[in-house]
Amino acid sequence: MSLLIIGSVAFDAIETPFGQTGKIVGGSASYISLASSMFCDRVGLVAVVGEDFDFEFLETLRSRGVDTNGVQVKTGEKSFFWSGKYHLDMNSRDTLITELNVLGDFDPIIPQEWESPDFVMLGNLSPGVQITTLQRLKKRPKLVVMDTMNFWMQIALPELHEVLKMVDLLTINDEEARLLSGELSLLKAARKIQSMGPQYLIIKKGEHGALLFGPDNQIYFCPALPLEEVFDPTGAGDTFAGGFLGYLASQDTVDFSVMKKALVYGSSAASYCIEKFGTERLQEINKTDVESRLKLFHELVAI
Ligand code: AMP
């Protein structure tokens, strides 16, 4: 099965209680591509970078089987830049800088061979670009998954509501679920968000795992692996989504029970991401590493 990913490919600068980075490669689609390509052998990326980007990273993606023909390079322009600082508990952070740069007027051009993908992952990006991407596809994919964040709720809420009607599954963190729904209870928030469009919803709760909501009030919970050291949580949510969808795209059926398993794959992939700054750890691991931790998840929750 084929998986088309669209999202930010960017520079990040991160500060955690363990240290600080200069400009390093980040971006929602960078993490999603690295994680999903471990499971799915037909991954295509649509993104935009400036001429300042680290092009070796695109080579790394290609070496992992990601088709980067849909990555536009804008001469004379700068890549998207995001900077964040984590609080002591590493579960919450403040955004210090968001410079849209090339993302400001991003026109997502989908290569012809990617106009009919089986799966689509709309990574964190302006809802307007997410809508345009879906409108440019030749046929309705089997599953459309979308991620978003508070930034877009604050500046593009009407477009966000529009794209929610077009997707099958939304991934969002607990704080954002409360913000989007106006409900404090996550259960109520989930039902309200599902009524906005997506049949399925994943609420990410950082070190406290993730909840999957499906049709007919189905709910499933997957923990995050407790780790002695959490070095940098940036991209953990995107890695989770990439592992989840990469696994789904490698299966014949897509339903709630397969999604439950995919959730554990996503959680396992994310447990690696946070072990080093940025995308570094993900570049060192493969499918076998992710699978080797699945047993730990079983032991953690089996009664
Ligand atoms: P996560 O930690 O999974 O929420 O994702 C972190 C990544 O999201 C970073 O690598 C950022 O480059 C990217 N990011 C942050 N803000 C935005 C935004 N407004 N639009 C697109 N990507 C963003």
Side-chain angles (χ1 to χ4, degrees):
M1 303 260 195
S2 56
L3 167 62
L4 175 69
I5 297 165
I6 182 159
S8 53
V9 172
F11 279 131
D12 289 347
I14 301 155
E15 201 179 325
T16 76
F18 298 102
Q20 202 170 346
T21 69
K23 272 192 176 183
I24 57 168
V25 169
S28 56
S30 302
Y31 290 99
I32 296 165
S33 300
L34 285 169
S36 60
S37 58
M38 287 191 259
F39 302 98
C40 175
D41 50 17
R42 278 217 66 212
V43 175
L45 172 61
V46 168
V48 62
V49 294
E51 68 176 8
D52 58 345
F53 195 62
D54 172 1
F55 293 99
E56 250 179 52
F57 180 71
L58 296 184
E59 198 46 59
T60 301
L61 290 182
R62 284 191 282 273
S63 73
R64 299 180 76 109
V66 178
D67 180 349
T68 60
N69 281 342
V71 180
Q72 302 169 37
V73 181
K74 294 280 177 182
T75 320
E77 292 186 48
K78 283 166 76 181
S79 303
F80 174 74
F81 175 64
W82 175 83
S83 167
K85 182 177 174 173
Y86 286 85
H87 300 166
L88 276 181
D89 68 357
M90 297 286 263
N91 221 20
S92 52
R93 70 183 179 205
D94 294 324
T95 289
L96 304 178
I97 305 171
T98 299
E99 286 174 8
L100 289 178
N101 298 326
V102 284
L103 274 193
D105 59 356
F106 178 30
D107 181 26
I109 297 163
I110 300 167
Q112 218 177 354
E113 62 276 23
W114 283 100
E115 282 174 348
S116 305
D118 298 305
F119 292 80
V120 172
M121 175 73 217
L122 303 170
N124 185 12
L125 205 60
S126 111
V129 174
Q130 292 177 323
I131 292 168
T132 307
T133 304
L134 294 180
Q135 285 170 339
R136 288 182 178 172
L137 298 179
K138 286 237 168 86
K139 70 168 210 275
R140 177 66 167 89
K142 218 170 155 173
L143 192 83
V144 179
V145 178
M146 149 191 186
D147 187 50
T148 192
M149 73 185 296
N150 47 5
F151 179 80
W152 301 113
M153 291 173 204
Q154 281 145 12
I155 70 164
L157 193 59
E159 292 92 334
L160 186 64
H161 276 291
E162 207 179 312
V163 66
L164 276 174
K165 290 187 200 125
M166 303 164 83
V167 306
D168 304 298
L169 190 155
L170 172 71
T171 67
I172 194 170
N173 75 29
D174 44 0
E175 191 187 327
E176 291 155 355
R178 290 190 169 107
L179 185 67
L180 181 62
S181 64
E183 296 285 354
L184 285 177
S185 145
L186 286 184
L187 211 57
K188 284 187 184 167
R191 299 294 169 238
K192 206 155 168 186
I193 294 170
Q194 284 178 296
S195 75
M196 294 174 189
Q199 265 198 81
Y200 297 95
L201 172 71
I202 294 176
I203 299 187
K204 300 171 284 182
K205 289 156 57 69
E207 66 171 332
H208 305 298
L211 289 162
L212 167 69
F213 297 87
D216 306 320
N217 295 327
Q218 296 176 94
I219 306 184
Y220 178 69
F221 168 72
C222 175
L225 207 59
L227 295 173
E228 280 198 21
E229 279 174 16
V230 177
F231 205 73
D232 170 22
T234 309
D238 301 311
T239 302
F240 172 87
F244 172 84
L245 199 45
Y247 175 78
L248 272 190
S250 72
Q251 301 301 298
D252 297 329
T253 33
V254 174
D255 58 23
F256 194 77
S257 75
V258 183
M259 283 187 189
K260 282 160 73 169
K261 201 160 174 201
L263 211 65
V264 188
Y265 274 78
S267 210
S268 175
S271 73
Y272 284 98
C273 173
I274 61 186
E275 290 179 343
K276 288 192 178 173
F277 271 121
T279 59
E280 196 183 337
R281 188 72 178 110
L282 284 187
Q283 294 190 36
E284 298 168 346
I285 63 159
N286 56 35
K287 180 179 171 177
T288 313
D289 294 306
V290 174
E291 287 176 341
S292 73
R293 287 192 177 171
L294 297 182
K295 198 169 157 273
L296 300 176
F297 282 87
H298 283 287
E299 286 166 3
L300 202 58
V301 292
I303 296 171

